[in-house]
Amino acid sequence: MAVHRRDVSAVAVVLALLWLVAPAIGTTPVDAAGRLRVAASIFPLYDIVRHVAGSAAEVVLVLPPGASPHTFEPTPATVRALAGASVIFVVGHGLDDWAARLARGAGVPDPVRVDRGIRLRRVYAGGGADPHYWLSAPNGKRIATTVAAELERRAPDRGAEIQRALAAYLARLDTADREIRRLLADLPNRRIATVHDAFGYFADAYGLEVAAAFEAFPGREPGPRFVVEFQRKIRASGVGMVFTEPQLSVAALRPIARDLGVTLGVLDPLGGLPGREGYVELLLWDARAVAAAARGVTP
Ligand SMILES: [Zn+2]
């Protein structure tokens, strides 16, 4: 009995010690300026986090602009860049699974998916749920709201600042949403085809129809067999515009578009490049690309 009591007191001592150090363990890492260090897998998310965080956090972008999340291969430098981050925001659903592995390697807690409140599309050429849900302003607002809540949880003392930044950003997204609707009103043709099946949410939000898409190897040049199949689908569906993406060459598709009598354009799912240096600018850039193509303007 005495032995047992001694065990109990030993446990109590350990618990008391844990209780003493617990606040230190639970504290979110901050830099010298008292800012959080957080990360985001892809550029649109990074830009949303940057806007919502204001000066409350330093934000690290994992996927370099111009690279495809579908084919990304992280390097040791990628892992080092993540060191000290208290959270990494991800899209999930197979788009950026590499982020979870990276986070583990860098000692960052489990990634936070930002799809809260978003109804996922289940019709997707890549199979499973369509992960490109950031490509509409209404979904951007949901993502920003999720990010703000997560940042606030980690830095409650910066809550007021984060809420102010969120309100300003949501207002910007509302303005962008109205502008996109204005740009895409009264188009002569609303049926599009895309080389990369990334624009289902954009189409749903803004009244377009993705009549053909293929996701043979996202982010890579399609092979001849897929091009033939793509052409067949476009002919069959009365599509007026075909969109490639910045990572694929427009030149390769130009003769195909000419044969089919469709306008060729470029839609960018990721941004971070000149002309779409921010997430809001990216959405507007894509809307302008569709509006121009619908009126027969080629890049
Ligand atoms: Zn994609």
Side-chain angles (χ1 to χ4, degrees):
M1 199 59 191
V3 171
H4 179 73
R5 201 176 298 130
R6 208 160 40 235
D7 282 356
V8 169
S9 55
V11 167
V13 167
V14 169
L15 283 176
L17 282 174
L18 277 177
W19 182 82
L20 281 173
V21 298
I25 292 169
T27 299
T28 300
V30 290
D31 67 7
R35 293 184 308 170
L36 288 170
R37 187 174 162 81
V38 302
S41 61
I42 62 169
F43 179 80
L45 262 188
Y46 161 77
D47 192 59
I48 292 170
V49 177
R50 208 160 50 154
H51 278 89
V52 169
S55 65
E58 182 202 348
V59 191
V60 178
L61 169 63
V62 179
L63 184 77
S68 166
H70 298 289
T71 55
F72 179 53
E73 280 169 27
T75 64
T78 324
V79 179
R80 279 197 298 276
L82 279 177
S86 57
V87 59
I88 175 166
F89 293 103
V90 300
V91 171
H93 305 285
L95 185 104
D96 48 10
D97 287 347
W98 37 263
R101 288 194 299 276
L102 270 175
R104 268 197 301 278
V108 179
D110 277 347
V112 170
R113 215 162 64 190
V114 294
D115 60 356
R116 202 176 300 155
I118 292 172
R119 180 147 23 112
L120 296 171
R121 301 178 71 250
R122 297 284 161 188
V123 185
Y124 175 50
D130 182 350
H132 304 87
Y133 56 81
W134 67 87
L135 286 167
S136 84
N139 285 356
K141 289 175 68 178
R142 294 185 185 103
I143 293 169
T145 305
T146 299
V147 166
E150 292 290 337
L151 291 175
E152 224 181 311
R153 212 155 60 77
R154 286 164 179 81
D157 54 319
R158 311 297 283 263
E161 185 185 344
I162 292 165
Q163 281 306 318
R164 261 197 313 277
L166 173 66
Y169 196 57
L170 294 182
R172 266 191 73 190
L173 282 168
D174 279 334
T175 305
D177 191 56
R178 282 193 296 275
E179 175 65 4
I180 294 165
R181 286 174 202 284
R182 190 191 65 74
L183 284 164
L184 299 180
D186 312 319
L187 297 183
N189 185 340
R190 308 192 75 84
R191 308 189 101 186
I192 68 172
T194 59
V195 166
H196 171 202
D197 193 12
F199 290 89
Y201 293 91
F202 190 85
D204 285 355
Y206 301 114
L208 303 170
E209 187 196 334
V210 183
F214 60 68
E215 192 83 1
F217 301 103
R220 283 183 206 157
E221 200 84 35
R225 191 163 60 86
F226 291 102
V227 173
V228 169
E229 173 61 12
F230 193 49
Q231 282 173 290
R232 192 195 61 74
K233 275 191 192 163
I234 290 166
R235 275 209 188 83
S237 59
V239 154
M241 302 163 267
V242 174
F243 294 94
T244 179
E245 61 178 40
Q247 289 76 21
L248 304 175
S249 81
V250 177
L253 281 171
R254 195 156 275 144
I256 297 168
R258 205 169 30 235
D259 280 359
L260 292 167
V262 297
T263 310
L264 191 58
V266 180
L267 281 177
D268 185 357
L270 291 165
L273 300 169
R276 56 272 194 207
E277 287 98 346
Y279 167 69
V280 169
E281 291 78 4
L282 171 68
L283 293 176
L284 289 166
W285 193 89
D286 284 330
R288 284 189 200 103
V290 173
R295 295 187 171 91
V297 183
T298 43

